[in-house]
Amino acid sequence: MKTSAPERERVVGSKVTRVDAVEKVTGLAKYAPDIYFDRMVHCALVIARKPHGILHKIDASRAQKLPGVFGIFTYKDVPGKNRLGEVVDDMPCLVAEGETVKHYGDVVAVVAASTQKTAEEAARKVRLTIEELPAVLDIEEARRDEIRIHGSSNVSVHKKIRKGDVSKGFSRADLIIEDNFMASYQEHAYIEPQGVVVLPDTDYGMTVYGSIQCPYYVQSSLSKVLGFPMSKVRIIQAETGGAFGGKEDVPSFVASYAAVAAYNLKRPARLIYPREIDIHTTSKRHPVKSRYKMGFSKDGEILAIEVDAYMDMGAYATLSPVVMFRTLVHAAGAYSVDNVSVDTYGVYTNKVPPGAFRGFGSPQVLFAVESMVDEASRRLGIDPVDMRMKNALREGSRTSTDQLLTESVGAVETLDKVNELSNWKELNERVEAFNRGSLFQKRGVGLSHIIYGVSLGAQGQHIDKSGAHVQINRDGSVDVRIGGTEMGQGAKTVMAIIAAEELGQKLSQIVVHQTDTAFVPDSGPTVASRTTMFSGNAVRIACKSLRERLVKLYAELNSCSEDEVELHDGMISCGQDKGMPFDELIEEAFKKNVKMFEAGWYQSPVLEWDPESGIGQAYITYSFASQVVVVEVDMITGNTKVLEAYTVHDVGKAINPEGVIGQIQGGFVQGMGYALSEDLKMLNGRILTDNFNTYIIPTIRDIPRVFKYGIVEDEFSEGPYGAKGIGEPSLMATPPAIANAISRAIGRRIRHIPATPEYVLNVIKEDAE
Amino acid sequence: MNKHPISFTLNGKTVKTQVEARTTLLRALRDLGVLSVKRGCEEGECGTCTVLIDGITQKSCLVLAMEVEGRTVTTCEGLLAPDGELHPIQQAFIDEGAIQCGYCTPGMVMATYALLERSPDPADEEIRAALAGNLCRCTGYVSIFRAVKKAAELMKRPEGAGKR
């Protein structure tokens, strides 16, 4: 769809109040734990608590005897297929006796009881007899294949890019740098843990209310586990207290466990995770170990790049193969390079399966590649901004997968703007002056420049579509239903803005409903920073049809030309006439039996892609960002503080500027936690940091005192009003900017994130490199 | 399990209920239908269950319900005017874009309320100290910080003063 921009947009781009703000600020918003039904039972999970072993026996006899226990359900009670997994279904719903448990958080049984407390107590009384097997606990061990977790090789997924000839590129290089990097886990730490309520419904099927990012995933998963047709499974998203990818595929599992209880008891079943169960059993950001080799000319041109990256998939593949596609495409960074070779591998280990997390496999490699570019600029004596500028993508450039960029390439503009915003030259002088006068505190300035492929890309294009349903009621109120979900990012507000813009109704009269699979067809997942573009286009298309009908009707009623009819802020007018309130025109439309509902549908343009060579159109378009941070490192303790941050994002078009800014700020701070403090510690495959007392996410005290942002709007013709995506890139620029700043401050390269005080201190103490 | 009767003032009204000795105030309040009080970590780290007990912020997951016998508990529901009008703090959170997923919001609002009660014109560092026990994973806190300043300003105005 080519979106011919309207002559002037009046709601798009303006400051509006979040449409869901009042319910949230008063505490009336209903999240999964706030939804109650008569005769509802409370569930708790029994997990393996061993990293690897054969499950010989599940003994629930002691637990059964507790007063208030209604049932303890195992693999024997799963009515349909005992399998889970959105991309690869290699995971049991409930591990069967005689089968192996493959990580600490493997789920074995579901307990249902009259209260949450009783359910939790009973879960603790279920005895599992597990014959322990040696466990595979890191990537290197997994690669040796001495213990094969799924029978075949642990290295089970491989993707590659072969562009140009890297050996030729290296032979021409004046400088070749090789290095190894490790990016560790990150826990989503949404403040609302996972939770669902599943109930047998009035359509003789099951309805789920839950904290859910991707309702259609839950629907298809539940239909398999229950053995129900999809038409008998309805998913209604409750308010969702943060997700960040952590509620992409996981709620399918959570809902499946609860559904087994609901099915067997024929009662509503609620399963709300305690934080510890959430951290032990649910996805994380993948640990990625990478080796980089890059060749540069002496004036800073990148001539060749070679990358191997190994991702720890944990015990089950879940979403890893698709996460790896994004790792692959982003591994060579945001630059125009003729010779590129990238190999990414997914390996099984006996640990919690990582999955989707804001950035989806790209932050790990962007940290590495931006560290490499920073190191090259240091060694070549080239200013870091100039270094990026020299290699940056422009209209007419080709990406690392040889995709020709023809429009909406705001990369250079983000660099220019961050240079200006941070007062780059003066900032560096200021920091140098500080360092001359300070022995134990050292400051550093770090720069990053990143690319983000918008939406699902070539390997996900078969599910890259979205529907919407828009209906105008007789009183003029408007129902907007989308297949994307609101999880805090502001999707509802963006959809309301688009509907108000197109229909001319007041924003306050537009209701964007909770996502419900009964109303809108499968719209793909709410991931990949795709909702503004995909759901947004679908809403816009539906509203345009309704608008045409309203314009025609008004022109007929007032004998004027359709071209002159204007709709805005609840009024419809033509030329100089006094106009008519929107609601009155709707009343006229109802009297004349005009159809006042429409479906909208938008699908991805077709992308040409060769998976053998990794060459082709990887994504429909790209967002870009550039970021500068100033850190101060305590050379005695290794502790790092971020003092200043400047970040500039090319978003195509900011439909809701306040929402874009919220993403930029929130993504930065989440990226800062990843870079510095969020250290997921494990012992024998068991996560030790299983709550917020040990897993440390940033507080209001940790944020930089100076925090400036800039927005570049290099419009994308396929996006609604030119919009691309901002959800993920907001985070992705931060880890490399911080790592580079620390490296500059201490004069040694940071090769591991999180760069905890212990790690930084070790690097400071290392002998010369 | 034995249940014990307790009586306390909840958002201006006397409440009588029965609780087990080990029931936390968080679980007791939710059983009473006070759903703005959320569970995030249940160990006093995230702050989304923050309430005021006799005007002082407490993590309700770390307080036993029996401890509030005879005391006054205020939650986010208690900040609304009888006609449903928002409290200036709530309005400030909306105006400054300080709400995303909303799950931390009631706790943030209560922490702000307690701060502005004791310090109507807080210094920046005071704001950071007062909110350091409340985690937000969405906003990056920048807008929340601004909302607290805006709330202080709104409450100083004559029309906002009565709301304290």
Side-chain angles (χ1 to χ4, degrees):
Chain A
M1 180 192 74
K2 288 284 165 198
T3 57
S4 56
E7 325 71 71
R8 63 198 165 107
E9 290 138 12
R10 300 196 266 195
V11 195
V12 166
S14 67
K15 177 170 162 56
V16 305
T17 297
R18 256 192 100 95
V19 297
D20 52 1
V22 171
E23 290 78 8
K24 286 177 173 175
V25 83
T26 51
L28 297 174
K30 287 216 181 292
Y31 301 82
D34 307 329
I35 297 169
Y36 290 85
F37 291 95
D38 191 30
R39 299 181 72 247
M40 182 171 83
V41 300
H42 299 256
C43 298
L45 300 180
V46 178
I47 63 171
R49 299 192 190 272
K50 298 280 184 235
H52 199 196
I54 302 164
L55 175 64
H56 286 303
K57 194 168 173 0
I58 305 165
D59 175 6
S61 54
R62 282 201 315 150
Q64 290 279 18
K65 286 181 197 140
L66 266 186
V69 171
F70 295 125
I72 296 168
F73 306 103
T74 66
Y75 66 101
K76 292 175 186 160
D77 305 301
V78 176
K81 209 175 159 202
N82 189 27
R83 287 271 128 191
L84 296 173
E86 186 54 40
V87 175
V88 183
D89 66 345
D90 59 358
M91 175 171 157
C93 175
L94 298 170
V95 182
E97 285 169 322
E99 299 289 316
T100 58
V101 298
K102 293 183 171 65
H103 76 105
Y104 184 91
D106 251 333
V107 179
V108 175
V110 185
V111 178
S114 56
T115 66
Q116 174 131 12
K117 204 172 149 225
T118 308
E120 285 164 7
E121 205 179 325
R124 282 193 297 272
K125 286 187 190 292
V126 175
R127 278 199 203 149
L128 305 179
T129 310
I130 295 172
E131 178 191 338
E132 280 201 69
L133 296 171
V136 179
L137 298 174
D138 70 37
I139 291 171
E140 293 310 319
E141 212 180 331
R143 285 176 64 188
R144 285 199 291 275
D145 261 344
E146 284 158 10
I147 300 160
R148 295 179 174 227
I149 296 166
H150 286 269
S152 52
S153 173
N154 292 327
V155 185
S156 75
V157 195
H158 175 210
K159 292 183 194 290
K160 57 182 190 284
I161 297 174
R162 297 288 181 270
K163 177 190 177 191
D165 181 345
V166 283
S167 57
K168 252 188 214 159
F170 287 126
S171 69
R172 282 174 48 218
D174 300 307
L175 171 69
I176 293 177
I177 303 179
E178 284 192 72
D179 216 336
N180 295 292
F181 298 90
M182 178 70 206
S184 192
Y185 288 102
Q186 187 180 20
E187 159 61 35
H188 303 86
Y190 29 68
I191 306 299
E192 184 210 10
Q194 304 276 348
V196 298
V197 182
V198 181
L199 60 142
D201 63 28
T202 53
D203 278 335
Y204 316 103
M206 286 284 183
T207 292
V208 178
Y209 290 85
S211 192
I212 290 168
Q213 220 177 311
C214 305
Y216 306 95
Y217 282 2
V218 181
Q219 186 186 24
S220 98
S221 183
L222 230 60
S223 108
K224 289 176 200 148
V225 167
L226 291 170
F228 283 16
M230 285 172 75
S231 54
K232 291 262 171 94
V233 180
R234 177 179 179 187
I235 315 298
I236 304 169
Q237 188 220 11
E239 286 291 1
T240 294
F244 316 110
K247 292 170 184 171
E248 174 167 354
D249 60 339
V250 174
S252 304
F253 315 156
V254 183
S256 294
Y257 307 138
V260 171
Y263 175 87
N264 283 285
L265 291 170
K266 300 185 172 54
R267 291 171 74 152
R270 146 193 163 119
L271 174 58
I272 309 292
Y273 280 15
R275 180 65 58 182
E276 291 81 3
I277 288 288
D278 194 303
I279 291 187
H280 283 302
T281 63
T282 71
S283 67
K284 315 273 175 269
R285 190 184 299 291
H286 289 80
V288 175
K289 200 166 184 177
S290 58
R291 183 190 66 84
Y292 270 75
K293 181 178 176 185
M294 290 177 75
F296 303 86
S297 74
K298 60 179 183 299
D299 59 354
E301 190 190 346
I302 305 171
L303 300 173
I305 176 163
E306 189 180 89
V307 184
D308 301 322
Y310 285 85
M311 307 185 64
D312 187 335
M313 304 195 295
Y316 303 106
T318 63
L319 296 167
S320 292
V322 289
V323 175
M324 272 174 65
F325 175 73
R326 193 170 282 282
T327 311
L328 180 82
V329 176
H330 291 72
Y335 305 107
S336 167
V337 186
D338 289 338
N339 305 298
V340 179
S341 170
V342 182
D343 291 274
T344 56
Y345 302 90
V347 305
Y348 284 120
T349 59
N350 289 118
K351 293 187 290 181
V352 63
F357 194 156
R358 204 176 202 172
F360 208 66
S362 72
Q364 298 94 322
V365 285
L366 287 168
F367 148 65
V369 70
E370 281 300 287
S371 298
M372 292 289 288
V373 172
D374 190 63
E375 185 60 23
S377 86
R378 191 184 68 82
R379 291 203 203 170
L380 293 167
I382 299 172
D383 178 88
V385 175
D386 296 343
M387 178 89 191
R388 266 85 173 180
M389 203 60 104
K390 182 162 190 75
N391 295 287
L393 293 162
R394 293 163 167 86
E395 270 180 31
S397 300
R398 288 180 175 273
T399 66
S400 63
T401 69
D402 211 34
Q403 178 174 358
L404 177 67
L405 300 179
T406 55
E407 61 161 331
S408 190
V409 190
V412 168
E413 208 179 331
T414 66
L415 278 165
D416 274 333
K417 220 166 174 169
V418 87
N419 190 5
E420 192 185 305
L421 190 69
S422 66
N423 209 345
W424 172 255
K425 286 251 145 49
E426 189 269 338
L427 179 70
N428 276 279
E429 285 161 16
R430 186 149 54 81
V431 164
E432 278 165 32
F434 174 87
N435 285 342
R436 280 194 294 277
S438 172
L439 195 55
F440 299 122
Q441 267 79 40
K442 292 289 182 192
R443 290 185 182 175
V445 184
L447 173 70
S448 70
H449 176 62
I450 60 117
I451 182 170
Y452 174 80
V454 176
S455 202
L456 300 171
Q459 293 210 333
Q461 54 183 319
H462 57 292
I463 55 167
D464 217 357
K465 65 239 166 171
S466 282
H469 189 270
V470 180
Q471 172 174 313
I472 306 175
N473 298 306
R474 188 162 195 158
D475 63 355
S477 64
V478 179
D479 294 316
V480 176
R481 297 184 183 271
I482 59 169
T485 53
E486 169 68 60
M487 44 199 172
Q489 85 280 38
K492 280 186 180 175
T493 305
V494 168
M495 299 308 138
I497 288 172
I498 292 174
E501 181 72 51
E502 296 298 334
L503 296 175
Q505 174 58 305
K506 286 181 163 61
L507 192 71
S508 60
Q509 293 303 103
I510 292 165
V511 176
V512 184
H513 292 273
Q514 289 303 124
T515 306
D516 183 338
T517 57
F519 287 88
V520 178
D522 187 346
S523 297
T526 304
V527 301
S529 309
R530 69 189 281 273
T531 303
T532 292
M533 182 168 166
F534 280 74
S535 290
N537 271 336
V539 168
R540 193 179 188 196
I541 289 164
C543 290
K544 273 181 184 293
S545 303
L546 291 167
R547 179 193 176 102
E548 275 169 27
R549 266 173 237 150
L550 295 177
V551 166
K552 186 160 176 276
L553 176 64
Y554 186 84
E556 276 170 18
L557 290 173
N558 294 278
S559 320
C560 68
S561 155
E562 287 182 28
D563 297 340
E564 286 175 67
V565 176
E566 280 215 37
L567 297 88
H568 177 59
D569 199 26
M571 283 300 289
I572 306 191
S573 58
C574 186
Q576 298 303 312
D577 72 7
K578 67 178 179 32
M580 178 189 240
F582 185 90
D583 304 354
E584 278 177 33
L585 183 67
I586 298 303
E587 181 62 29
E588 292 298 323
F590 268 76
K591 282 186 200 151
K592 293 187 185 314
N593 297 336
V594 180
K595 182 185 170 196
M596 282 287 100
F597 68 92
E598 263 310 320
W601 184 252
Y602 178 75
Q603 67 201 52
S604 171
V606 174
L607 300 169
E608 301 292 337
W609 177 254
D610 174 20
E612 279 312 302
S613 60
I615 294 296
Q617 295 164 308
Y619 290 97
I620 46 174
T621 191
Y622 297 87
S623 292
F624 298 90
S626 299
Q627 189 168 103
V628 171
V629 301
V630 180
V631 301
E632 183 174 298
V633 182
D634 185 317
M635 301 297 278
I636 307 298
T637 64
N639 190 49
T640 301
K641 273 193 296 194
V642 179
L643 303 178
E644 299 175 37
Y646 306 89
T647 184
V648 179
H649 290 267
D650 168 24
V651 301
K653 172 81 184 176
I655 292 176
N656 176 22
E658 186 178 86
V660 169
I661 295 161
Q663 288 297 302
I664 290 174
Q665 294 169 340
F668 178 89
V669 172
Q670 200 170 48
M672 186 178 89
Y674 179 38
L676 292 176
S677 66
E678 297 184 25
D679 192 13
L680 192 98
K681 287 198 188 297
M682 279 195 187
L683 182 68
N684 296 330
R686 176 188 165 208
I687 296 167
L688 301 174
T689 49
D690 64 359
N691 206 329
F692 294 135
N693 56 343
T694 46
Y695 187 79
I696 307 300
I697 68 171
T699 73
I700 196 168
R701 284 200 135 141
D702 303 314
I703 65 172
R705 299 297 187 259
V706 177
F707 196 148
K708 294 185 177 167
Y709 59 83
I711 296 171
V712 169
E713 294 184 314
D714 196 331
E715 293 180 10
F716 174 46
S717 61
E718 279 280 325
Y721 315 96
K724 301 193 279 194
I726 181 62
E728 290 163 282
S730 62
L731 176 144
M732 289 157 50
T734 305
I738 290 178
N740 288 340
I742 301 173
S743 300
R744 297 265 172 176
I746 66 175
R748 302 267 168 83
R749 181 60 45 196
I750 293 298
R751 297 187 179 85
H752 179 283
I753 48 173
T756 59
E758 295 87 338
Y759 171 76
V760 172
L761 202 56
N762 279 335
V763 176
I764 291 171
K765 285 178 174 168
E766 271 171 21
D767 290 324
E769 290 177 24
Chain B
M1 211 78 65
N2 284 339
K3 292 214 173 189
H4 306 269
I6 55 167
S7 165
F8 61 102
T9 305
L10 173 62
N11 296 327
K13 288 188 185 137
T14 305
V15 174
K16 291 181 199 296
T17 187
Q18 300 226 327
V19 295
E20 289 176 12
R22 286 167 59 184
T23 302
T24 61
L25 180 60
L26 165 64
R27 291 197 182 200
L29 286 172
R30 291 190 59 84
D31 285 346
L32 286 167
V34 183
L35 299 178
S36 77
V37 187
K38 307 285 183 204
R39 181 177 67 90
C41 68
E42 227 168 1
E43 60 163 33
E45 291 286 340
C46 78
T48 189
C49 69
T50 302
V51 300
L52 304 190
I53 301 176
D54 293 342
I56 294 169
T57 52
Q58 299 281 0
K59 312 277 173 74
S60 62
C61 69
L62 293 185
V63 177
L64 293 174
M66 288 181 70
E67 291 180 82
V68 301
E69 170 66 39
R71 298 168 81 178
T72 298
V73 176
T74 312
T75 70
C76 208
E77 284 89 345
L79 298 196
L80 285 179
D83 64 354
E85 200 198 332
L86 296 175
H87 189 277
I89 295 173
Q90 292 169 320
Q91 191 60 51
F93 269 67
I94 294 175
D95 293 347
E96 293 301 324
I99 302 159
Q100 287 191 28
C101 87
Y103 202 76
C104 75
T105 308
M108 286 285 179
V109 166
M110 295 316 291
T112 305
Y113 182 89
L115 166 70
L116 298 181
E117 279 285 289
R118 66 173 187 269
S119 180
D121 200 4
D124 290 358
E125 205 40 53
E126 233 179 317
I127 296 175
R128 291 188 192 103
L131 266 57
N134 291 70
L135 297 176
C136 169
R137 193 59 157 168
C138 297
T139 63
Y141 303 105
V142 183
S143 51
I144 292 176
F145 183 82
R146 253 190 352 249
V148 178
K149 300 202 108 174
K150 172 82 177 279
E153 200 182 294
L154 289 178
M155 287 167 70
K156 269 186 272 174
R157 292 183 194 162
E159 67 272 19
K163 299 283 166 47
R164 303 217 332 258

